[in-house]
Structures are given as structure tokens and as C-alpha cells.
Amino acid sequence: MKRLLVTNDDGIGSPGLLALAEVLTDLGEVIIVAPDRERSAASHAVTLHKPLRVEPAAVPISGVRAYITNGTPADCVVLGALAVIAGKPDLVASGINGGPNLGDDVTYSGTVAGAREGAIVGAPAFAVSVAGDEVTDYSFAARFSRRLAERVLATGLPADVFLNVNIPDLPPEQIEGAELTRLGRRRWDERLVKRQDPRGRDYYWLVGEPNHDGSASGSDVAAVLAGSISITPAHMDLTSHSSIAELAELTTDLL
Ligand code: MN
């Protein structure tokens, strides 16, 4: 029986996580290892300086084993693979996140880090997000995730590659299709607010409005703005390969 490890960064109680776990029960044994609280924007942090706990959790899905941890999404995948499953999962699925993980978001996303850690432990992995502001319905995203999981289980993924999936928050009949994309740009404007606390000390809050650039065709941002599901194959290798030649003079007489 296939072992499917499910995690997220919105925490154990999030409806997207439960929707994802439930649809995957058709495909094998589903094991949830999820953070005990929201860890959105935890990126790929791992916990090195305090004990990690893994406790059984009750979820309203029959046949699913669920655990909470005090760690990050990346910790959850490590704990799931090494402590709970004690072996390589057949699939790691991270999500379903409530909100987009497009372009620059990928750097900060705990959801994406869950899938990236899946690739690190050697499992086929994907992250899935619904690209909406106030997501209330995960049913279509869950059904799509199940189809994608089935495909990935059958065919595998290239080594060190994982998938970052974003699904428009639209009624199913308005979804245009699914396409393979590259990461676009999604920056945050006016991202810092400075205020004073009741004791007169300054504090800062990271906020802001996302600034999509949907003009770059083939990007994840453009696909979702056009109503398509975006699937970005992402690689562990952050090297800018073209820059190795382009920056050749950087090292000339540098010593
Ligand atoms: Mn999140």
C-alpha cells in the first residue's frame, strides 16, 4: 500500500489540509504530520535548538493517521519520513494552502517548503494552493490534487524536482485548464507599517499589497490571472547557470 505524507503550513485545523488528506485516501495510506499552529511564511526553517514533539491528533477522516508537531512544515516532513513512516513516503503533498504561492511567494512559503523537503527526502512531492484572498471552498482543488497525485504516483518526477501548484479560486466551470509554468514575479508594495505601542515604543508590522506582474507569458502569475491552474516544476538548484559565464570577469584578479 502506498504511503502518502500530507503536511501544510496553515496548521492541523485548516480545512485545506483536511480536504487534501480526505481525497488522497483513495490512493493509499494517508499520514498527516502537520504543525500544531499556523506556520505560514515559515519558509524552509528547520528546528535545531529545541525538542521536537510528535503527538497523535484526532481528525474527522476515517482511516487517516494524524500527528501534530511543534515544528515547521519542513520539520513535519522530516519527522513524517524518519519518525512516523520510518521510510521514504511514496508521495509528499503539502497544502491545500488558503492563498496563492506564486512567484516571489515561493521564497517565503512554508507550504512550498513542505514539498521541497519532500524532494530532499527523495519522494515525489507537490505543494498546492488556492489562489484566493478568502478561500472557503477547497473541493475542486482537492479533486484536482487527487488526479495530480495519481499521475505523479504513476510516473514519478525527475530527481530533485517538485511541483508548485496554484489553483484559481473560481467555480470549476470557469477554470480554463492546467498548464506548466515558470515562476513569475509577485512583489509586495507598502510592505512595512510603523506604529507605536501603548508604552510609546515603535513597532513594525509587515503587511502590504501584492503586486502581480501578469504580463510575462508562461509564468505562474499569468496562468492564474487567466483562470488556469499553474503547475511549476521547481528544482532544488538555485544556481543561476547562465550567470556563471556572464559573470566570468567577477573573479579576474580578485585575489
Ligand atoms: Mn499558509
Side-chain angles (χ1 to χ4, degrees):
M1 191 152 174
K2 304 277 191 199
R3 293 176 299 189
L4 316 178
L5 178 60
V6 176
T7 192
N8 76 343
D9 76 356
D10 293 337
I12 186 77
S14 84
L17 174 82
L18 299 178
L20 179 60
E22 185 161 28
V23 289
L24 294 181
T25 55
D26 285 351
L27 305 178
E29 183 192 7
V30 174
I31 301 113
I32 295 174
V33 182
D36 58 8
R37 68 201 116 113
E38 183 171 352
R39 293 288 200 157
S40 292
S43 191
H44 207 115
V46 288
T47 301
L48 301 180
H49 302 292
K50 65 177 185 185
L52 285 168
R53 308 288 183 187
V54 181
E55 308 284 352
V59 291
I61 311 166
S62 68
V64 171
R65 277 197 289 154
Y67 301 86
I68 52 170
T69 82
N70 58 337
T72 62
D75 289 328
C76 288
V77 173
V78 174
L79 291 165
L82 300 184
V84 177
I85 294 176
K88 190 162 71 179
D90 293 289
L91 181 79
V92 173
S94 182
I96 301 169
N97 191 63
N101 278 306
L102 296 163
D104 298 41
D105 299 337
V106 163
T107 300
Y108 304 103
S109 171
T111 307
V112 173
R116 191 188 296 112
E117 189 63 36
I120 289 172
V121 303
F126 65 83
V128 57
S129 307
V130 174
D133 292 333
E134 299 280 342
V135 181
T136 55
D137 185 353
Y138 290 91
S139 55
F140 173 78
R143 290 200 303 277
F144 181 81
S145 299
R146 183 197 174 286
R147 287 195 291 275
L148 179 66
E150 198 168 23
R151 190 73 59 89
V152 168
L153 280 168
T155 63
L157 291 173
D160 298 329
V161 170
F162 61 96
L163 304 178
N164 183 43
V165 181
N166 280 273
I167 298 172
D169 191 18
L170 293 171
E173 64 276 11
Q174 290 178 30
I175 303 258
E176 294 290 331
E179 55 186 274
L180 288 166
T181 57
R182 61 190 168 78
L183 293 180
R185 296 314 304 263
R186 188 168 186 271
R187 296 174 185 272
W188 293 81
D189 293 337
E190 311 283 348
R191 62 193 302 228
L192 194 62
V193 168
K194 181 183 179 184
R195 290 190 184 155
Q196 280 197 335
D197 72 19
R199 296 198 171 93
R201 292 181 58 196
D202 292 337
Y203 67 88
Y204 298 89
W205 208 288
L206 289 169
V207 286
E209 288 295 319
N211 182 352
H212 303 287
D213 178 3
S215 62
S217 73
S219 76
D220 56 353
V221 174
V224 167
L225 286 176
S228 285
I229 297 168
S230 164
I231 303 176
T232 305
H235 199 278
M236 298 292 302
D237 183 357
L238 290 176
T239 309
S240 170
H241 290 275
S242 63
S243 297
I244 291 176
E246 197 178 322
L247 296 176
E249 286 180 23
L250 191 69
T251 54
T252 305
D253 298 325
L254 195 57
L255 268 188

